[in-house]
Amino acid sequence: MMKKVVSLILVAVMAISICVPALAANDSCNCGTAPVVFVPGFGESIYENPESDDRASVFPPSEDAIKSAVPDILKAAVCLLAFNDYEGFGTSAIAGADKLLGSLALNLDGTPVKNTGAMPNPAPEAEKHKITEYRFMASPEYETGDYKFIYDWRLDPIDNAKLLKEYVNEVKEATGHSKVILSCHSQGNTIVASYLHLFGSDDVEKLVFLSPAYKGLSLIGSLLTLQVGVSGKGEKLEEFIKSFMGYDNAQSQLIASVIDVLGKAGVVDSLLDYVQKLLDEQLDRIFKEYLVDAMGTMPGVWSFVPDEYYEQAKAELLGDSEKYAELIRRADYYHYNVQNKLEDILTAAKKNGVSIVISVGCGISTIPVTTAKTESHSDMLIDTKYMSIGATCAPFGETLGDGYVQKNTSCGHNHVSPDNTIDASTCLFPEYTWYIFGSDHNQFGEDYLKFLKWAILYDGQPTVHSNEKYPQFMKVGENKELLPADGPRPAETRSNLEIIVSSVVTLLKDSIRKK
């Protein structure tokens, strides 16, 4: 008899142990819409005494900070323009920058100083998630259904991921949902990637990565390795302006044409040569005397350094390993455990049933300020190859070549862009990665928001074949609408003079129409 009783008790215990997790996973809210936690990018406001009602703005700089920096900035300009005094320029520029941004500096170990930070996150509103409008970075007067996570962008993504975990728990408790959708833009992707590394994906239903910085950007890599150069970049500058503003945009055609005319007259190259001389004279000093201990102590900034630049950047700027030991430890941990293992982290999440959406910009050259011989496809700021986690991209302004054959045929679909500049078959998730030509880093037009809303509310895993309105390769139209990407841009046949006249006429018409 005793054995039967013991057996029954064991059976009951086993049944409860099996059922409890299943019950815990059930949502008490039956609205069918998982809460969206949005993690924004770099540049949120930083305050002194952030938890106090009399908090003072540190970033963006306060009016007092700007006023105090003006005399040094003017002095730097006079030293440079009136006397060609590069040394005086460097001294005054450093002094002005310190007054403007000095309060942002962290301790040498990458921790905050002077009681500065981001505002605390407000308690999540319980019913907010039932609103299915997601504005992300748009104006706050719109009622939205996403819970925005506020964080200090200067700090270690690992530390911010721990705070995100606390916030996710608060959102789940407030809404009655066991899972959330994590949507992130730019630097926010480094935090979400760190979150997945630390905590896994059991409480995540979907991941939406927008303009992601999780693999870094060559612009920061070049800056932190002091590979900055603008000499001879006149043509690249013109191409960048046209690609950034839109090839069919009258203003960009006008500006680019003026630059082209000035370039043919030698004015642009002379100006860039002058800037290059200034960089050669003072860049190393400005970095070593100011930027290392001001911006270079920010683990958040180090998370932007791609792997191919990382060790060189550390050696260049943080050579004193004892002085920066804790900062290096923090930067190394993110770099080698998150950035370099991102493929494994996201593959594990996918195997765990998480839906993944990656949206990246392309068709805009990287900013032409590095010594690289060619610029790459980007959203103006972040390289497309990094955002997409491995897409094969032709150098900007070139194609993959005549007769190019898609590299990865195992995915079963064609993933080469219509203009033959991007082969998406080699990225981590060819079926779940969208490319938008002409979409700059902060492109949140109405059509783009509709695309993101569709991706967020899609039941299950959307693919690049799920909706004919949203194919893998899209482009931003003249009115910021999303259109299917077409073939190569037609060669320019008009003269510069014709372009300038046409652009001026168009601008005048637009001005009259607006009035």
Side-chain angles (χ1 to χ4, degrees):
M1 183 68 179
M2 182 59 70
K3 288 183 178 179
K4 289 183 178 180
V5 172
V6 172
S7 297
L8 288 172
I9 292 173
L10 288 174
V11 169
V13 170
M14 290 176 64
I16 292 171
S17 67
I18 291 171
C19 293
V20 166
L23 291 170
N26 289 334
D27 293 348
S28 60
C29 176
N30 59 3
C31 71
T33 303
V36 177
V37 176
F38 176 59
V39 187
F42 177 95
E44 288 291 307
S45 296
I46 303 295
Y47 299 94
E48 188 173 357
N49 301 316
E51 299 187 20
S52 170
D53 291 337
D54 61 348
R55 64 181 70 91
S57 178
V58 172
F59 182 86
S62 66
E63 185 177 338
D64 288 342
I66 294 172
K67 287 179 179 178
S68 68
V70 167
D72 290 303
I73 293 171
L74 291 175
K75 185 176 179 180
V78 170
C79 287
L80 184 64
L81 301 176
F83 303 106
N84 277 339
D85 180 3
Y86 296 110
E87 189 74 18
F89 167 81
T91 299
S92 297
I94 289 172
D98 187 55
K99 290 174 182 175
L100 202 60
L101 300 171
S103 297
L104 272 177
L106 300 180
N107 294 315
L108 297 185
D109 63 356
T111 57
V113 69
K114 293 183 179 178
N115 190 29
T116 60
M119 286 180 62
N121 282 280
E125 301 172 23
E127 298 297 303
K128 187 177 184 181
H129 71 290
K130 296 179 181 179
I131 303 169
T132 58
E133 292 300 322
Y134 310 105
R135 305 294 304 192
F136 305 109
M137 296 179 71
S139 300
E141 64 263 20
Y142 292 98
E143 190 174 23
T144 67
D146 55 303
Y147 297 90
K148 182 179 176 182
F149 171 67
I150 301 170
Y151 66 94
D152 187 337
W153 48 266
R154 303 172 299 170
L155 304 184
D156 189 347
I158 297 294
D159 291 339
N160 278 324
K162 294 174 183 176
L163 297 176
L164 175 60
K165 177 63 173 176
E166 295 176 9
Y167 187 67
V168 166
N169 288 341
E170 291 177 15
V171 170
K172 290 193 299 181
E173 183 177 354
T175 62
H177 284 267
S178 59
K179 292 180 181 284
V180 300
I181 294 171
L182 288 177
S183 176
C184 42
H185 175 251
S186 192
Q187 186 182 21
N189 290 259
T190 70
I191 296 169
V192 169
S194 300
Y195 179 99
L196 297 171
H197 162 69
L198 292 174
F199 307 109
S201 58
D202 287 347
D203 56 2
V204 180
E205 178 180 299
K206 184 176 291 183
L207 294 162
V208 181
F209 298 111
L210 314 175
S211 309
Y214 41 38
K215 296 290 267 186
L217 51 154
S218 63
L219 176 64
I220 297 298
S222 297
L223 288 173
L224 296 192
T225 52
L226 305 184
Q227 299 180 65
V228 181
V230 296
S231 185
K233 297 275 188 177
E235 290 185 11
K236 298 287 186 182
L237 180 62
E238 178 187 349
E239 187 66 23
F240 169 75
I241 292 171
K242 291 171 72 175
S243 64
F244 173 56
M245 297 185 69
Y247 289 101
D248 299 323
N249 182 288
Q251 295 181 48
S252 68
Q253 288 186 348
L254 174 60
I255 295 171
S257 298
V258 169
I259 290 176
D260 188 53
V261 170
L262 294 175
K264 286 182 169 60
V267 175
V268 173
D269 284 337
S270 295
L271 178 61
L272 293 179
D273 285 343
Y274 183 76
V275 174
Q276 184 64 53
K277 186 175 181 181
L278 173 63
L279 292 173
D280 293 340
E281 291 276 349
Q282 292 296 311
L283 181 66
D284 188 75
R285 178 191 172 196
I286 290 172
F287 262 81
K288 298 291 176 64
E289 291 186 15
Y290 175 69
L291 286 179
V292 174
D293 287 347
M295 304 292 285
T297 54
M298 298 179 182
V301 171
W302 281 96
S303 71
F304 294 147
V305 183
D307 186 54
E308 61 194 277
Y309 298 90
Y310 184 68
E311 287 299 334
Q312 183 183 347
K314 281 199 306 179
E316 192 77 52
L317 298 183
L318 306 178
D320 188 343
S321 57
E322 184 175 344
K323 178 181 178 182
Y324 299 107
E326 179 59 18
L327 173 65
I328 292 172
R329 185 199 66 77
R330 290 174 183 273
D332 278 353
Y333 188 90
Y334 172 83
H335 186 83
Y336 289 109
N337 291 282
V338 180
Q339 187 186 110
N340 278 16
K341 293 183 179 178
L342 182 66
E343 292 84 350
D344 295 337
I345 291 170
L346 296 186
T347 299
K350 191 75 192 85
K351 287 182 178 178
N352 198 31
V354 178
S355 299
I356 294 176
V357 172
I358 302 175
S359 177
V360 307
C362 57
I364 301 176
S365 78
T366 46
I367 304 174
V369 295
T370 75
T371 55
K373 292 182 179 179
T374 58
E375 278 65 42
S376 63
H377 273 269
S378 76
D379 62 1
M380 180 196 76
L381 192 61
I382 305 180
D383 312 67
T384 303
K385 62 181 180 181
Y386 295 139
M387 290 188 286
S388 62
I389 320 177
T392 301
C393 301
F396 191 81
E398 302 178 22
T399 70
L400 295 169
D402 294 338
Y404 178 85
V405 178
Q406 179 174 291
K407 286 188 176 182
N408 177 14
T409 58
S410 63
C411 46
H413 294 101
N414 176 45
H415 292 287
V416 177
S417 63
D419 65 352
N420 196 32
T421 60
I422 297 174
D423 179 359
S425 74
T426 57
C427 74
L428 181 61
F429 296 120
E431 304 293 314
Y432 320 137
T433 306
W434 283 259
Y435 300 77
I436 306 177
F437 284 81
S439 177
D440 66 67
H441 188 65
N442 295 310
Q443 178 68 50
F444 286 87
E446 289 299 322
D447 259 17
Y448 190 73
L449 289 172
K450 289 177 183 177
F451 162 60
L452 295 179
K453 178 179 177 179
W454 166 79
I456 286 171
L457 296 179
Y458 189 91
D459 186 12
Q461 173 65 67
T463 76
V464 295
H465 313 288
S466 298
N467 189 332
E468 63 181 11
K469 283 182 62 178
Y470 305 123
Q472 179 153 56
F473 298 102
M474 295 181 276
K475 68 177 182 179
V476 178
E478 194 167 354
N479 296 314
K480 291 196 173 183
E481 71 274 27
L482 286 186
L483 305 168
D486 46 24
R489 181 169 59 88
E492 186 60 74
T493 56
R494 294 181 296 166
S495 70
N496 285 310
L497 181 59
E498 289 176 311
I499 294 173
I500 292 173
V501 172
S502 173
S503 299
V504 170
V505 170
T506 302
L507 289 171
L508 288 173
K509 285 182 178 178
D510 288 344
S511 178
I512 293 170
R513 192 181 301 118
K514 288 176 182 178
K515 291 179 179 179

